[in-house]
């Protein structure tokens, strides 16, 4: 049964209504405060969250984690799910694949009926076999690596956003439009980016990668790597990193030593507003990143208003926020369709029946759908945009040279 457009328009209206709750007498607190039961009074439905709050994925996982908490609070303030409150239990795997099995076992031991895997891609990959053993369905709110939802052991795991395979299509469209045939790559040394590079760079058959340079995630100097990239004379440079300090250092160094060359990046830098302030004045100008926040989307507008009321008018809404919000809404809808969260098999089947969900990110007509054979929610490329930074080190809007088509 499809999720109606009118139903998700109602969700947007509900987002606006939540503004009163988050600024007034509504439940949740700031940051990592645990959501309360709100007006729901039944026995709690435990949702487990594996959140990297201290490892290499923390720069984006903590952003999503805050909005997951806010979304749970919203559900509870509106009576919960089937009259029962959602109760969040949280553990931290530090994006370390070796820690994932124990973390998920611990969440299951605390009674979790479904899981949110808010961690690095390499860690989530390790989670797949453990999910099969536990029999618990899981959503990876900000996952982008296609193999996360591909066989084997993919029966219980789901993602929302366009994957790196789609990114490769968009980058190739951009490179063709900008007459770029030779690419230089500057990357960090995290396991998350190693997994992402394998998928993304393998899909960039449209260009020749003439040089790849790697730096430590905690590097203090990338001058040598950038100099070697410059000597290879690429038409453009792509930075692949989890963001944070490495990305800032990379862009500062490229702006200083490699000016005049087009620069591209992942979604990381665009979704980490705290990093923009750390870049040198004008260092991000002209940088093009993979984005999915489009203020023409009414659900994005509603979520933006909510989060600005919660965090202040200077808050920059990110794809991490929108995907986190939607993940909680999708779980709520699946529990309602299943009639109970207590049978994991039924809950998993219910997730697979959700179609036509109008997302809080992407272009206005972007939707998410799932099935027994489709565990990636994105319907087409409408969830992606190429966004350009302005001279003030803030995104100024869509890149005029190329935008992904809203299909295929």
């Amino acid at each position: 049964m499809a999720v109606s457009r009118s139903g998700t328009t109602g969700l947007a209206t509900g987002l606006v209504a939540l503004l009163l709750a988050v600024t007034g007498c509504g439940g949740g607190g700031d940051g990592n405060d645990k959501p309360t039961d709100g007006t729901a009074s039944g026995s709690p439905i435990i949702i487990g969250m594996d959140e990297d709050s201290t490892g290499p994925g923390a720069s984006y996982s903590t952003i999503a984690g805050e909005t997951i908490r806010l979304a749970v609070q919203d559900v509870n303030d509106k009576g919960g799910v089937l009259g029962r409150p959602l109760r969040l239990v949280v553990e931290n795997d530090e994006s370390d694949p070796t820690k994932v099995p124990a973390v998920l076992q611990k969440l299951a031991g605390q009674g979790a009926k479904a899981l949110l895997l808010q961690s690095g891609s390499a860690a989530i990959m390790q989670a797949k076999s453990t999910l099969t053993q536990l029999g618990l369905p899981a959503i990876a709110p900000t996952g982008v690596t296609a193999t996360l939802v591909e066989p084997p052991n993919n029966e219980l795991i789901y993602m929302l956003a366009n994957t790196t395979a789609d990114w490769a299509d968009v980058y190739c469209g951009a490179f063709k439009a900008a007459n770029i045939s030779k690419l230089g790559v500057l990357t960090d040394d995290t396991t998350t980016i190693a997994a992402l590079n394998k998928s993304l760079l393998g899909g960039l058959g449209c260009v020749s990668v003439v040089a790849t340079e790697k730096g430590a995630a905690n590097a203090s100097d990338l001058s040598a790597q950038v100099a070697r990239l410059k000597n290879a004379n690429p038409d453009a440079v792509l930075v692949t990193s989890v963001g944070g300090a490495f990305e800032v250092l990379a862009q500062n160094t490229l702006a200083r030593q490699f000016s005049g060359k087009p620069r591209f990046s992942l979604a990381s830098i665009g979704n980490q507003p705290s990093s923009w302030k750390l870049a040198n004045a004008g260092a991000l100008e002209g940088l093009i990143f993979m984005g999915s926040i489009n203020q023409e989307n009414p659900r994005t507008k509603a979520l933006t208003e909510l989060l600005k009321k919660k965090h202040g008018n200077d808050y920059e809404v990110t794809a991490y926020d929108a995907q986190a919000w939607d993940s909680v809404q999708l779980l709520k809808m699946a529990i309602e369709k299943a009639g109970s969260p207590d049978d994991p098999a039924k809950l998993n089947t219910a997730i697979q029946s959700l179609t036509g969900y109008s997302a809080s990110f992407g272009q206005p007509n972007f939707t998410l759908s799932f099935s027994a054979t489709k565990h990636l929610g994105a319907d087409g490329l409408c969830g992606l945009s190429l966004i350009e930074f302005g001279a003030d080190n803030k995104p100024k809007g869509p890149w005029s040279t190329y935008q992904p088509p809203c299909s295929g």
Side-chain angles (χ1 to χ4, degrees):
M1 178 178 178
V3 178
S4 70
R5 295 301 178 94
S6 60
T8 49
T9 300
L11 175 59
T13 304
L15 283 169
V16 176
L18 175 60
L19 297 175
L20 295 176
V22 299
T23 57
C25 60
D30 294 324
N32 290 330
D33 286 357
K34 181 183 288 188
T36 70
D37 289 352
T39 61
S41 58
S43 59
I45 300 170
I46 309 298
I47 305 297
M49 178 165 65
D50 177 6
E51 177 190 24
D52 177 7
S53 56
T54 56
S59 55
Y60 54 89
S61 289
T62 53
I63 294 171
E66 283 196 37
T67 302
I68 285 170
R69 291 171 173 86
L70 180 61
V72 168
Q73 188 65 62
D74 175 44
V75 169
N76 290 347
D77 286 345
K78 293 174 179 175
V81 185
L82 305 175
R84 301 167 61 180
L86 296 180
R87 190 165 293 172
L88 202 61
V89 293
V90 183
E91 297 293 337
N92 176 15
D93 68 9
E94 299 179 309
S95 289
D96 183 343
T98 67
K99 296 181 179 179
V100 173
V103 165
L104 299 193
Q105 291 279 1
K106 190 170 183 179
L107 290 170
Q110 295 176 70
K113 303 300 183 183
L115 301 173
L116 295 170
L117 306 180
Q118 189 47 60
S119 186
S121 295
I124 299 173
M125 279 295 295
Q126 184 61 42
K128 292 172 66 176
S129 59
T130 305
L131 291 175
T132 300
Q133 295 168 15
L134 296 173
L136 294 178
I139 295 175
T142 60
V144 294
T145 303
T147 51
L148 295 180
V149 292
E150 292 175 351
N153 297 319
N154 69 326
E155 298 84 0
L156 293 159
I157 189 166
Y158 303 87
M159 289 188 344
L160 277 61
N162 294 92
T163 70
T164 49
D166 292 333
W167 291 14
D169 289 342
V170 173
Y171 282 126
C172 280
F175 296 153
K176 181 178 179 180
N179 296 315
I180 294 166
S181 60
K182 297 187 299 180
L183 186 68
V185 177
L186 179 58
T187 185
D188 71 26
D189 64 350
T190 63
T191 55
T192 292
I193 292 300
L196 184 145
N197 282 343
K198 185 175 180 180
S199 173
L200 176 61
L201 300 183
L204 293 181
C206 56
V207 292
S208 174
V209 178
V210 295
T212 301
E213 292 291 332
K214 183 184 294 185
N218 62 351
S220 59
D221 186 3
L222 294 171
S223 298
Q225 288 91 333
V226 171
R228 289 191 290 269
L229 284 176
K230 188 173 182 179
N231 288 339
N233 194 31
D235 298 324
V237 174
L238 171 65
V239 176
T240 61
S241 83
V242 295
F246 180 93
E247 182 85 25
V248 172
L249 178 61
Q251 300 302 339
N252 283 344
T253 309
L254 287 166
R256 185 175 65 250
Q257 297 187 25
F258 218 51
S259 61
K261 292 283 187 179
R263 286 177 286 153
F264 294 82
S265 190
L266 307 180
S268 307
I269 183 67
N271 289 314
Q272 295 169 8
S274 60
S275 295
W276 308 344
K277 303 172 186 177
L278 303 178
N280 294 339
L284 302 183
E285 183 177 9
L287 174 65
I288 300 152
F289 69 91
M290 192 70 68
S292 58
I293 289 297
N294 187 324
Q295 290 298 333
E296 294 180 359
N297 183 331
R299 295 164 304 280
T300 303
K301 283 185 178 180
L303 182 60
T304 297
E305 188 176 356
L306 183 159
L307 292 172
K308 284 184 179 293
K309 286 287 186 180
K310 178 67 176 177
H311 300 297
N313 285 332
D314 292 336
Y315 190 80
E316 298 284 352
V317 176
T318 71
Y320 305 142
D321 291 302
Q323 291 158 14
W325 180 272
D326 285 346
S327 294
V328 174
Q329 307 309 319
L330 289 164
L331 272 182
K332 173 181 181 291
M333 295 164 69
I335 294 169
E336 289 172 338
K337 293 195 75 166
S340 168
D342 299 319
D343 184 337
K346 271 191 174 181
L347 182 55
N348 192 51
T349 299
I351 293 173
Q352 295 174 5
S353 70
L354 300 176
T355 61
Y357 172 88
S358 294
S360 297
F361 61 101
Q363 299 175 39
N365 56 345
F366 178 59
T367 60
L368 304 171
S369 299
F370 302 95
S371 74
T373 57
K374 184 178 183 291
H375 288 214
L376 170 63
D379 294 327
L381 296 180
C382 293
L384 296 173
S385 298
L386 289 173
I387 309 296
E388 184 175 7
F389 274 96
D392 60 354
N393 283 355
K394 292 183 179 181
K396 69 177 184 180
W399 188 41
S400 60
T401 303
Y402 177 81
Q403 288 299 310
C406 199
S407 64

